Amino acid sequence: MQTYQFDNFPNHQRNSEIERLTTNVDSHSKTLVDLLLTNGLYGSNEVLDVGCGTGAMLQLLASLLEKTKFHGVDNSTKILETAKNTIGQTNEKIQLTHGDACNLPYPDNTFDFVFTRLVLMHNSNPEQVIDEMVRVCKPGGTICAIEIDDGTQLFHPHGEELNKIVQAHIQFSKLHGTDRTMGRKLYSLFSKHSHTEETMVIIQTSDYSKDFIQNNELPTLLKFALGNDDGRRLVEANLLTEEDRSELVSTFIPRFLASPHRFESCSFMYAFGKKVAT
């Protein structure tokens, strides 16, 4: 089961989500590329992106590795249409396929490098996704999962107050099959798998500077936590009091955004493992 269903979004939400997904890749592309290249991607002939979305990652990597063939799979027909329009129908280096991450439409031992980004957190059975990634990876090849962990979100000022809504959102997501603390679980998921070895997790946080703050914009994870109803669903689920929600929306968040000295941070977790050579 997946809780993130792009095809079910209304049209206006699809457009904003496409923009967010593309910007999200652009915002930390250098770190992404460096970590992937130095941990198995460089020298790979066949690469698979599980949950490729708009294809932004595929385009970025394909522009750097001329001799590598890239494949992307996603369960959303709508987002694959966007990817195909962006990438181009005749790009022989990138092949896009509709399919389920829990039942990948590829034979065993097909790819040298298999990665997924911000997919496991939306799947109620991340172990099965990893099983499939390992299955389609060649012996000796690399699997990689990139996830965030909302529990690493930090704010200042009013960090304690803002953390209330983050924690409520983590619990709300858990009730609906989403795990917004997936990042901390990657090492366990990889290391306990019977067909992986050499598990490694790299934690990456973006460098923080004045340029990071743009137009008093609400941090992305606070946007998710507040949702379209300013967090009222969290109150209805008894995860946040109405008094706390109202004070957050009317007082603490505006004060946070108004501070020229504010700080916010969240970590990305990169897990790498090798498929056991048999």
Side-chain angles (χ1 to χ4, degrees):
M1 173 185 174
Q2 291 190 342
T3 57
Y4 179 96
Q5 296 290 342
F6 181 88
D7 286 0
N8 294 335
F9 291 168
N11 287 335
H12 72 278
Q13 189 176 355
R14 285 182 196 158
N15 293 334
S16 63
E17 184 67 357
I18 287 169
E19 181 179 358
R20 183 188 72 81
L21 291 171
T22 303
T23 302
N24 191 275
V25 170
D26 292 340
S27 66
H28 63 293
S29 60
K30 185 180 186 306
T31 299
L32 259 173
V33 170
D34 288 349
L35 288 175
L36 296 186
L37 285 175
T38 56
N39 289 282
L41 179 59
Y42 185 76
S44 295
N45 294 317
E46 299 281 345
V47 174
L48 174 64
D49 181 353
V50 179
C52 62
T54 62
M57 274 291 295
L58 290 171
Q59 280 187 291
L60 176 62
L61 297 175
S63 68
L64 299 172
L65 299 173
E66 295 182 358
K67 298 181 180 180
T68 303
K69 186 169 183 179
F70 291 87
H71 302 256
V73 60
D74 204 285
N75 71 338
S76 166
T77 55
K78 298 292 185 181
I79 209 165
L80 282 176
E81 288 175 9
T82 299
K84 289 176 181 178
N85 289 334
T86 302
I87 293 170
Q89 301 284 351
T90 60
N91 191 324
E92 296 181 355
K93 286 186 60 178
I94 301 175
Q95 182 174 337
L96 301 174
T97 303
H98 180 259
D100 184 357
C102 289
N103 186 23
L104 293 173
Y106 306 102
D108 297 357
N109 308 323
T110 299
F111 302 99
D112 303 289
F113 190 92
V114 182
F115 73 96
T116 188
R117 180 175 173 276
L118 304 180
V119 168
L120 299 180
M121 64 184 293
H122 295 300
N123 200 294
S124 61
N125 192 353
E127 292 90 349
Q128 188 172 347
V129 177
I130 293 173
D131 282 345
E132 280 293 280
M133 292 173 65
V134 173
R135 179 184 66 79
V136 301
C137 185
K138 294 177 182 178
T142 301
I143 62 168
C144 169
I146 306 164
E147 295 288 338
I148 60 170
D149 190 316
D150 282 13
T152 66
Q153 182 82 13
L154 301 174
F155 304 98
H156 180 77
H158 306 300
E160 291 184 8
E161 292 85 0
L162 298 182
N163 192 50
K164 287 182 181 179
I165 198 165
V166 172
Q167 292 301 318
H169 183 47
I170 289 172
Q171 293 304 313
F172 184 85
S173 299
K174 185 177 180 180
L175 293 174
H176 293 81
T178 297
D179 189 348
R180 299 200 66 88
T181 62
M182 180 57 68
R184 70 189 65 179
K185 298 167 184 174
L186 291 179
Y187 183 82
S188 175
L189 288 170
F190 274 50
S191 63
K192 70 182 182 182
H193 197 285
S194 61
H195 295 290
T196 61
E197 58 186 1
E198 301 181 30
T199 298
M200 172 179 63
V201 173
I202 298 172
I203 302 173
Q204 178 262 329
T205 55
S206 299
D207 293 336
Y208 198 90
S209 67
K210 185 177 180 181
D211 295 336
F212 188 84
I213 304 173
Q214 296 181 356
N215 303 321
N216 293 332
E217 186 176 355
L218 194 64
T220 301
L221 295 186
L222 279 184
K223 286 183 183 179
F224 286 146
L226 287 171
N228 295 325
D229 62 355
D230 280 345
R232 289 182 177 84
R233 70 197 186 289
L234 303 178
V235 176
E236 293 175 0
N238 296 315
L239 299 172
L240 197 68
T241 68
E242 173 56 27
E243 181 180 3
D244 283 340
R245 186 204 69 80
S246 179
E247 194 171 25
L248 279 161
V249 172
S250 63
T251 303
F252 293 122
I253 289 177
R255 286 180 183 173
F256 170 78
L257 294 177
S259 172
H261 311 294
R262 73 181 187 270
F263 177 84
E264 63 207 53
S265 178
C266 187
S267 297
F268 277 82
M269 316 291 189
Y270 293 72
F272 295 93
K274 293 284 188 181
K275 181 173 178 176
V276 175
T278 54

